[in-house]
């Protein structure tokens, strides 16, 4: 693992939120006590050595934005964030959707992407690849992509229009009524030329160490977090 980049996926543990958000819920939009969410975010950032963090108002779309300032900021209406800023963490929040973290060691570029069914069907990971290439010259073959804990093909049952669309467009990943969303996203990445895809986590709906919307409906959100580590600013100043 490249020591110059932080790649981390959180789980339910180590926070202060009460049921049904117990305990390390990192999302403000799920009706948890905002003071608890703030404390959870503060603890998580401190533990990971994060001073600045950008997150997204995620909307299950395909818009991708570039973060160019080291600031705590929530980007409106998007599902992918890209940056070359050092010491700026990017965070994606999920409870079954796939948190996708991307790192290009060649150009020192990172991305955090929210890939649920709508986003994956719309090609959010391909949009992120396109934006990384256009803005920073990232070549897909240099990228290292990690897919975090998310709902598995074991539990992700669809019905109605969603099932029909999945069968029609991504039939290879539909088994009976269930969709293997991670396999679908992996295939999209590989078809676009990405060689290094790591997908080692289990199913959030089966594994109670994670928040799962499908299992619990009212629940918290875990995070995928990525950050380019730079020289410590305080050290620089003391030289
Ligand atoms: Zn499962």
């Amino acid at each position: 693992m490249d020591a110059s980049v932080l790649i981390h996926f959180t789980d339910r543990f180590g926070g202060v939120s009460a049921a049904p958000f117990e305990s390390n819920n990192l999302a403000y939009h799920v009706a948890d006590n905002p003071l608890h969410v703030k404390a959870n975010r503060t603890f998580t950032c401190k533990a990971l050595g994060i001073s600045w963090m950008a997150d997204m108002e995620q909307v299950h779309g395909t818009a991708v934005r570039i973060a160019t300032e080291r600031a705590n900021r929530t980007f409106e209406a998007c599902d992918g964030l890209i940056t070359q800023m050092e010491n700026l963490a990017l965070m994606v929040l999920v409870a079954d959707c796939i948190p996708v973290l991307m790192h290009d060691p060649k150009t020192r570029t990172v991305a955090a992407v929210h890939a649920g069914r709508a986003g994956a069907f719309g090609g959010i990971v391909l949009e992120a690849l396109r934006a990384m290439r256009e803005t920073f010259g990232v070549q897909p073959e240099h990228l290292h992509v990690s897919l975090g804990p998310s709902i598995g093909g074991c539990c992700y049952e669809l019905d109605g229009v969603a099932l029909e669309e999945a069968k029609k467009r991504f039939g290879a990943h539909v088994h009976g009524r269930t969709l293997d969303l991670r396999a679908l996203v992996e295939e999209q990445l590989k078809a676009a030329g990405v060689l290094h895809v790591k997908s080692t986590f289990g199913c959030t709906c089966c594994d109670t160490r994670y928040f799962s919307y499908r299992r619990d409906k009212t629940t918290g959100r875990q995070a995928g977090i990525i950050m380019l580590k730079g020289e410590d600013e305080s050290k620089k100043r003391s030289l």
Side-chain angles (χ1 to χ4, degrees):
M1 184 50 71
D2 188 338
S4 67
V5 63
L6 165 77
I7 294 174
H8 185 77
F9 296 103
T10 69
D11 55 29
R12 295 186 77 131
F13 304 109
V16 298
S17 293
F21 307 106
E22 77 278 23
S23 65
N24 198 27
N25 167 45
L26 297 172
Y28 285 108
H29 70 276
V30 294
D32 190 2
N33 179 336
L35 294 175
H36 290 169
V37 180
K38 188 162 191 237
N40 293 341
R41 285 187 175 213
T42 302
F43 292 151
T44 299
C45 285
K46 204 169 241 180
L48 295 172
I50 293 169
S51 302
W52 304 101
M53 186 153 75
D55 66 355
M56 301 172 270
E57 180 210 346
Q58 300 167 189
V59 291
H60 294 277
T62 55
V64 175
R65 305 204 197 284
I66 315 283
T68 54
E69 269 179 301
R70 198 174 294 123
N72 293 318
R73 177 176 170 189
T74 298
F75 283 77
E76 278 175 26
C78 64
D79 290 273
L81 273 183
I82 300 171
T83 197
Q84 283 192 332
M85 293 295 301
E86 290 184 336
N87 301 318
L88 173 67
L90 307 179
M91 177 166 77
V92 48
L93 293 168
V94 289
D96 288 340
C97 292
I98 313 173
V100 183
L101 301 180
M102 305 182 174
H103 170 225
D104 174 26
K106 284 258 179 202
T107 60
R108 295 270 290 158
T109 310
V110 291
V113 176
H114 167 238
R117 178 175 50 81
F121 283 16
I124 178 71
V125 291
L126 305 177
E127 276 302 304
L129 294 181
R130 186 189 56 74
M132 291 177 100
R133 188 178 57 238
E134 279 178 11
T135 312
F136 298 120
V138 172
Q139 300 294 317
E141 62 269 29
H142 296 147
L143 268 182
H144 291 257
V145 179
S146 300
L147 307 187
S150 53
I151 195 163
C154 41
C155 294
Y156 195 24
E157 197 173 309
L158 301 180
D159 54 21
V161 182
L163 179 61
E164 288 316 307
E165 187 185 0
K167 277 186 183 165
K168 201 186 285 176
R169 295 182 57 200
F170 307 104
H173 305 299
V174 179
H175 310 285
R177 303 173 67 85
T178 61
L179 171 67
D180 189 341
L181 191 64
R182 269 197 302 246
L184 189 165
V185 167
E186 259 186 80
E187 186 190 39
Q188 288 178 324
L189 289 164
K190 288 187 172 161
V194 177
L195 304 174
H196 313 288
V197 182
K198 200 165 140 193
S199 177
T200 55
F201 288 94
C203 170
T204 43
C205 191
C206 292
D207 188 339
T208 54
R209 290 177 299 172
Y210 297 103
F211 295 110
S212 169
Y213 177 79
R214 182 58 72 113
R215 187 185 61 227
D216 297 328
K217 290 288 176 270
T218 303
T219 191
R221 297 290 182 275
Q222 56 247 349
I225 298 171
I226 189 162
M227 180 178 77
L228 290 165
K229 294 190 209 169
E231 243 183 279
D232 188 333
E233 295 293 322
S234 60
K235 253 189 243 161
K236 249 193 262 176
R237 272 199 298 275
S238 68
L239 288 175

